[in-house]
Amino acid sequence: HERAARSQEAVRASRREAGECRRQLQARLVEMESLRGAHQSLERQLQELEERHNAEAAGLQDTIGQLEDDLRNTKNEMARHLREYQDLLNVKMALDIEIAAYRKLLEGEETLFNLGSVGLPSLNSLPSPTYSFQPRSFSSST
């Protein structure tokens, strides 16, 4: 009887232990399924973040490309304005030279006129100045 009682007690203890192991196994399976769901959720979030990041990066690349095009166009426009300014400056300098030449001519004529009005008899002995000034024509790309 004692042996049978001990054996029955050992069987009960083994059943209790097996039941406890089943409960622990069930708890671990539930925990594992929960973690698997959390892992899948995190994977989806990561994929969404990567897609959003790639879309933002592509948008920023487009913006950079547009800004580089704008910068290139602005540089070209500035170069065109600079060429126009230089052309105008060249025309102005040529006109300033031409105006200075006309002033000298007028001063020379005025001097000759003043000499003639003083009544100097040697006026006829001065050589008569002959000017062959030909005005330049300037072309501009403006």
Side-chain angles (χ1 to χ4, degrees):
H1 278 291
E2 271 182 43
R3 225 193 226 168
R6 273 189 258 152
S7 291
Q8 279 183 347
E9 186 61 35
V11 167
R12 283 187 202 125
S14 293
R15 284 184 183 162
R16 278 193 303 266
E17 192 176 330
E20 182 64 30
C21 285
R22 269 188 235 115
R23 278 191 295 277
Q24 286 179 356
L25 178 63
Q26 281 300 104
R28 297 289 184 250
L29 286 174
V30 168
E31 184 180 353
M32 188 174 76
E33 285 301 315
S34 171
L35 289 174
R36 187 174 285 141
H39 176 73
Q40 289 173 348
S41 173
L42 289 173
E43 285 289 332
R44 280 192 305 272
Q45 286 179 355
L46 179 64
Q47 185 176 3
E48 290 171 1
L49 283 173
E50 285 177 348
E51 289 171 359
R52 205 172 331 135
H53 170 72
N54 289 338
E56 285 179 19
L60 290 174
Q61 286 295 335
D62 289 344
T63 302
I64 288 171
Q66 289 173 352
L67 289 173
E68 286 174 345
D69 287 344
D70 290 346
L71 180 62
R72 196 175 310 110
N73 291 338
T74 302
K75 283 182 178 180
N76 289 337
E77 189 175 336
M78 285 177 58
R80 183 178 55 82
H81 286 302
L82 181 62
R83 282 190 303 274
E84 289 175 2
Y85 173 75
Q86 287 173 340
D87 289 344
L88 289 173
L89 189 60
N90 289 339
V91 168
K92 180 197 176 289
M93 289 173 41
L95 289 173
D96 285 345
I97 291 170
E98 196 170 335
I99 288 170
Y102 278 122
R103 271 200 190 114
K104 282 188 177 183
L105 287 174
L106 285 174
E107 287 172 0
E109 291 293 324
E110 189 176 286
T111 304
L112 285 176
F113 182 73
N114 285 340
L115 284 177
S117 65
V118 170
L120 291 175
S122 64
L123 184 60
N124 289 336
S125 65
L126 289 176
S128 69
T130 57
Y131 299 106
S132 63
F133 182 78
Q134 297 175 356
R136 297 181 198 157
S137 65
F138 295 98
S139 64
S140 174
S141 62
T142 58

